[in-house]
Amino acid sequence: MVWAHKGVNKVEDKRFIEESFPVKEVSEHSAREKNIRHGHISTLHIWWARRPLASSRATSYAALIPAPKDIDEWEKKRQFIIELCKWENSLNSMIIEKARKDILEANGGKPPRVLDPFAGGGSIPLEALRLGCETYAGEYNPVAVLILKCTLEYPQKYGEKLVRDVKKWGEWVLQEAKKEIGRFYPPDKSGYFGEGEGAIPVGYIWARTIKCENPSCNAEIPLMRQFWLAKKPNKKVALYPYVEGKEVKFKIVGDGYEKMPSGFDPSKGTVKGAVATCPVCGYVIEAKNVRKQFQEGKAGQRMIAVVLHSKNRKGKFYRIATEEDMKAYREAEKYLEEKRQKLMQEWGIDPVPDEPTPEGKGKGAERAFSVRNYALNTYGDLFNSRQKLALITFVEKVRQAYEKMIDEGYDKEYAKGVVSYLGLAIDMNAAFCNTLARWENTSEAIKHLYSRQALPMLWDYVEVNSFSDSSGSWNAGWGYYLDVLRFCCRSY
Ligand SMILES: [Zn+2]
């Protein structure tokens, strides 16, 4: 940044930011924040375009202190802003206290009032509070309001005891849910690792299916973008499709499995840009006919493989799905109907959301939604039966946690605060637990549907086991939530 100003002190009450700002350095620290996970508010709940804390802190400070009197002061303040904006200094009391003191001095000893009328993900009000300002945050979107309450209001109001209670009741919810529906995710009995190892399925890989249009074929086509399961420098594993009669079957090939057949390219799947190719007869089905099968209810889905993890071994393992795996799924499907009816009577609404998904027609942002082309017409349609069961059970347990807290004599407002975090945790779980969540073969992990800001169709998805401790499970998020909560409590 160039010292462009010549006549200093020309304007009364000119602020530092009007004079100069270390744009380059603050931008670098802001960009670096994207890789920070533990403790960062971005891990509390997704919010679109949440501002980095570094730039929020630096701009707030620079807007609240006076313009420098001379070039020495300019250089000193500039260096201080660069230090202040760093993530590592978020809780550095020496630096933060100095910033607070400067702001108070510049405002006649009174904390300035800061209003963010479109506060969204809460970065600006969080940083204004950290700098000691009297802060107000406004929002119209109810999701953002809940995020703001959990980021700003509850941590200030209740402090670190919140961390203990959120942890305690989060564990309670998990255990209660597991007691009721854990049986639908049985530990591996296939003998994959030999007897008694008790490997846990962390996910089930599914492919949506259509029928081959060739009248002499009629085979069921599993729609898969590609066949890689692990595509890492030191580990290459794939699903290998082969035909038996008129059935497409699979086996697992690659490192640690049967040798990968020569000439097999796992990056070429059965569907590309909604055009499908039948692996049995080679017939090509146009995109509009693929969509038509979905719209006419002729499409289906098939569980292809199971991803396993064992606490005694490093990494993920794969096996082809069996009739046993489908049996557990069908039992969950049956139990869902029973539970859905029960909750419908209790709550007076269908626990499975029936709100319509975005139409997705027209231009611009609307094009990000293509799910309607495939008859995914309500939000409930974005989940398979076992996923629906898992989510409505978690919701029920969070509601019960609130009632139990009240019975145990917790203050009502405080209990509401605690369950608000559990509600955010369900949201994150739902982002992983749907039929638009994909298996990322480069990291061997489940990626939630918001890795893109869209609701595009996904042919093959991974169904998370919420009770495993791997990516996407209920437990995998907790370390993050508690770190953020602690960070927020210590920020004020
Ligand atoms: Zn065919």
Side-chain angles (χ1 to χ4, degrees):
M1 171 114 324
V2 185
W3 176 251
H5 185 64
K6 291 198 179 86
V8 187
N9 274 347
K10 266 204 305 211
V11 182
E12 288 291 315
D13 196 28
K14 198 169 190 183
R15 304 303 172 98
F16 191 93
I17 201 165
E18 296 176 84
E19 201 63 74
S20 164
F21 188 75
V23 174
K24 184 171 167 278
E25 291 85 349
V26 173
S27 301
E28 279 166 9
H29 287 294
S30 298
R32 214 160 54 90
E33 244 177 67
K34 283 197 179 131
N35 300 319
I36 292 159
R37 285 285 166 265
H38 282 279
H40 198 278
I41 57 169
S42 62
T43 56
L44 183 65
H45 196 278
I46 282 168
W47 188 250
W48 322 114
R50 188 186 259 113
R51 302 293 150 215
L53 300 184
S55 57
S56 305
R57 190 182 308 157
T59 49
S60 300
Y61 175 76
L64 291 168
I65 58 159
K69 286 194 278 299
D70 51 46
I71 195 152
D72 291 337
E73 195 188 304
W74 168 74
E75 181 54 27
K76 240 172 93 184
K77 283 263 144 71
R78 191 182 166 280
Q79 285 309 327
F80 180 71
I81 290 173
I82 296 167
E83 280 308 301
L84 175 68
C85 83
K86 289 181 182 167
W87 165 256
E88 321 58 293
N89 288 334
S90 300
L91 302 174
N92 180 327
S93 56
M94 247 171 68
I95 291 179
I96 301 300
E97 276 311 319
K98 185 184 170 341
R100 287 183 179 180
K101 205 172 134 258
D102 292 346
I103 291 170
L104 270 182
E105 266 172 23
N107 288 279
K110 262 177 75 182
R113 282 189 183 148
V114 171
L115 165 69
D116 184 351
F118 311 105
S123 302
I124 291 173
L126 170 65
E127 292 309 325
L129 278 167
R130 191 193 311 284
L131 296 174
C133 304
E134 189 183 317
T135 305
Y136 300 86
E139 247 302 338
Y140 184 62
N141 184 311
V143 177
V145 170
L146 187 64
I147 295 173
L148 291 169
K149 278 183 172 287
C150 290
T151 309
L152 309 168
E153 188 179 314
Y154 297 134
Q156 277 189 91
K157 208 163 157 186
Y158 301 118
E160 290 204 36
K161 73 170 175 175
L162 257 183
V163 183
R164 288 191 298 278
D165 273 318
V166 170
K167 183 166 188 275
K168 177 180 158 186
W169 290 99
E171 274 162 16
W172 185 86
V173 165
L174 178 66
Q175 289 317 320
E176 291 298 306
K178 200 172 175 178
K179 262 190 239 166
E180 189 177 335
I181 60 166
R183 66 180 190 275
F184 300 119
Y185 305 85
D188 195 56
K189 291 190 209 91
S190 71
Y192 186 89
F193 296 115
E195 285 296 307
E197 174 132 353
I200 303 289
V202 298
Y204 306 87
I205 291 173
W206 292 79
R208 299 181 203 269
T209 59
I210 54 166
K211 283 264 177 287
C212 176
E213 281 184 333
N214 176 355
S216 66
C217 177
N218 256 318
E220 181 197 70
I221 308 173
L223 299 171
M224 299 195 85
R225 295 160 295 154
Q226 54 89 47
F227 298 112
W228 284 112
L229 292 169
K231 198 181 172 192
K232 292 169 154 177
N234 57 351
K235 186 179 179 187
K236 302 259 192 302
V237 181
L239 280 163
Y240 177 70
Y242 63 98
V243 176
E244 220 174 74
K246 277 201 174 153
E247 201 185 336
V248 183
K249 292 192 159 181
F250 291 91
K251 56 186 172 183
I252 304 210
V253 295
D255 299 330
Y257 302 85
E258 208 175 298
K259 197 170 169 288
M260 199 162 306
S262 63
F264 170 52
D265 178 3
S267 63
K268 289 200 178 103
T270 57
V271 62
K272 197 179 175 192
V275 178
T277 306
C278 174
V280 179
C281 70
Y283 194 88
V284 175
I285 298 145
E286 293 177 62
K288 72 172 185 359
N289 290 356
V290 170
R291 290 188 193 114
K292 205 167 145 218
Q293 289 207 28
F294 278 88
Q295 285 154 7
E296 289 174 354
K298 288 176 184 161
Q301 61 169 356
R302 181 169 147 197
M303 194 195 289
I304 307 281
V306 181
V307 187
L308 299 171
H309 177 66
S310 165
K311 59 183 186 312
N312 306 328
R313 292 159 208 263
K314 234 182 131 219
K316 306 275 189 341
F317 300 85
Y318 305 90
R319 65 168 174 78
I320 297 299
T322 63
E323 182 45 37
E324 276 293 301
D325 297 313
M326 273 313 292
K327 210 177 126 212
Y329 179 81
R330 281 194 296 266
E331 279 166 13
E333 200 156 48
K334 234 171 85 192
Y335 186 62
L336 166 71
E337 283 322 304
E338 197 184 302
K339 192 168 179 72
R340 189 173 176 175
Q341 289 305 324
K342 186 193 116 194
L343 292 180
M344 216 177 309
Q345 283 189 354
E346 259 179 58
W347 299 350
I349 52 161
D350 188 346
V352 175
D354 55 3
E355 292 88 346
T357 47
E359 287 271 6
K361 284 172 189 152
K363 289 180 183 156
E366 274 280 275
R367 284 179 307 167
F369 304 102
S370 62
V371 288
R372 280 281 184 109
N373 289 333
Y374 302 93
L376 301 173
N377 296 326
T378 69
Y379 277 96
D381 293 337
L382 305 180
F383 307 92
N384 78 22
S385 302
R386 189 161 50 184
Q387 291 173 330
K388 284 178 198 160
L389 175 64
L391 289 168
I392 67 173
T393 304
F394 278 116
V395 171
E396 183 197 29
K397 300 308 171 197
V398 169
R399 292 171 73 129
Q400 288 172 353
Y402 176 77
E403 283 158 23
K404 203 161 168 357
M405 275 184 254
I406 300 302
D407 285 348
E408 288 182 16
Y410 278 70
D411 170 69
K412 267 191 174 173
E413 271 306 300
Y414 179 68
K416 212 163 122 186
V418 173
V419 292
S420 295
Y421 294 94
L422 305 185
L424 295 187
I426 290 187
D427 278 11
M428 200 50 185
N429 200 231
F432 280 99
C433 191
N434 61 74
T435 65
L436 301 178
R438 69 192 162 88
W439 183 248
E440 188 180 68
N441 51 36
T442 49
S443 60
E444 294 189 271
I446 298 167
K447 290 284 146 184
H448 59 67
L449 86 163
Y450 295 126
S451 23
R452 277 181 60 193
Q453 300 195 359
L455 286 181
M457 180 55 169
L458 188 67
W459 308 109
D460 43 319
Y461 67 91
V462 57
E463 179 197 355
V464 70
N465 171 5
S466 297
F467 303 109
S468 83
D469 290 335
S470 282
S471 66
S473 68
W474 178 264
N475 254 348
W478 278 98
Y480 293 111
Y481 298 127
L482 299 176
D483 280 350
V484 183
L485 196 44
R486 228 171 263 127
F487 176 81
C488 290
C489 290
R490 290 173 189 170
S491 292
Y492 309 123

